[in-house]
Amino acid sequence: MLTTIDVMPDSARLWVYQASRILSDDEQQLIQQSAQHFIDQWAAHGQGLKASFMLEDAYFLIILVDESYAGASGCSIDSSVGLVRKLEQQLNVSFLDRGVIAIKNGEEIELLPLSAVKSSIAEGKITVDTEVYNNSVTSYGEWKASWKQKASDSWMGRFFS
């Protein structure tokens, strides 16, 4: 059952899906409609899940489930990935490539392959203050606290010395 974000607990389980390109307004509207429909019927072992979603910065689909209400099972998680795969096909975009990171320089979000991080730091494209998206967060509380962080506070911090 679709629940508003503002009532989701910090312990809510969370998944971040990063698009391989910026999403248009029409694409974002399609994602919102598809995600709302999916979450309205999302269930684990026949019990509806208390869940929500967000679209952030025209690149990120975030899905949350309050497991204190009902836990997401392997099959229910697989069905949410099925939603993401369906969106990938409809929009000709990837949401599941974990080999690409997002950084924010000024107002622009840039996508970089992981293999380019060291060279981007060496070239000054990524500095200690560059905002980095930490898509490995797994709870709503963690997302609020550290989804966006300075490169020096992220896993990249070890490359600044």
Side-chain angles (χ1 to χ4, degrees), residues 94-134:
S94 173
F95 282 104
L96 299 170
D97 184 354
R98 299 295 183 200
V100 177
I101 62 157
I103 63 171
K104 192 166 187 180
N105 277 320
E107 294 303 310
E108 295 295 316
I109 294 174
E110 295 178 49
L111 303 179
L112 296 172
L114 283 171
S115 61
V117 169
K118 283 185 183 179
S119 62
S120 294
I121 290 170
E123 295 165 5
K125 184 174 189 171
I126 298 175
T127 69
V128 293
D129 293 321
T130 300
E131 193 170 59
V132 176
Y133 291 83
N134 174 14

Side-chain angles (χ1 to χ4, degrees), residues 8 11-15 63-67 72 77 138-140:
M8 294 299 277
S11 61
R13 195 166 175 187
L14 177 139
W15 296 267
I63 298 175
L64 304 89
V65 63
D66 180 357
E67 291 192 305
I77 293 167
T138 59
S139 73
Y140 188 38

Side-chain angles (χ1 to χ4, degrees), residues 5-71:
I5 283 288
D6 59 331
V7 300
M8 294 299 277
D10 283 350
S11 61
R13 195 166 175 187
L14 177 139
W15 296 267
V16 178
Y17 298 100
Q18 175 182 292
S20 56
R21 59 171 172 75
I22 195 165
L23 299 165
S24 71
D25 291 343
D26 288 343
E27 290 171 325
Q28 291 180 61
Q29 186 175 10
L30 173 75
I31 292 169
Q32 288 177 344
Q33 291 168 349
S34 297
Q36 182 171 348
H37 176 74
F38 171 79
I39 288 174
D40 278 339
Q41 54 78 41
W42 198 18
H45 304 293
Q47 183 173 1
L49 295 174
K50 188 176 176 183
S52 193
F53 73 95
M54 307 178 266
L55 283 170
E56 292 287 323
D57 297 340
Y59 277 92
F60 304 93
L61 170 60
I62 297 141
I63 298 175
L64 304 89
V65 63
D66 180 357
E67 291 192 305
S68 67
Y69 179 79

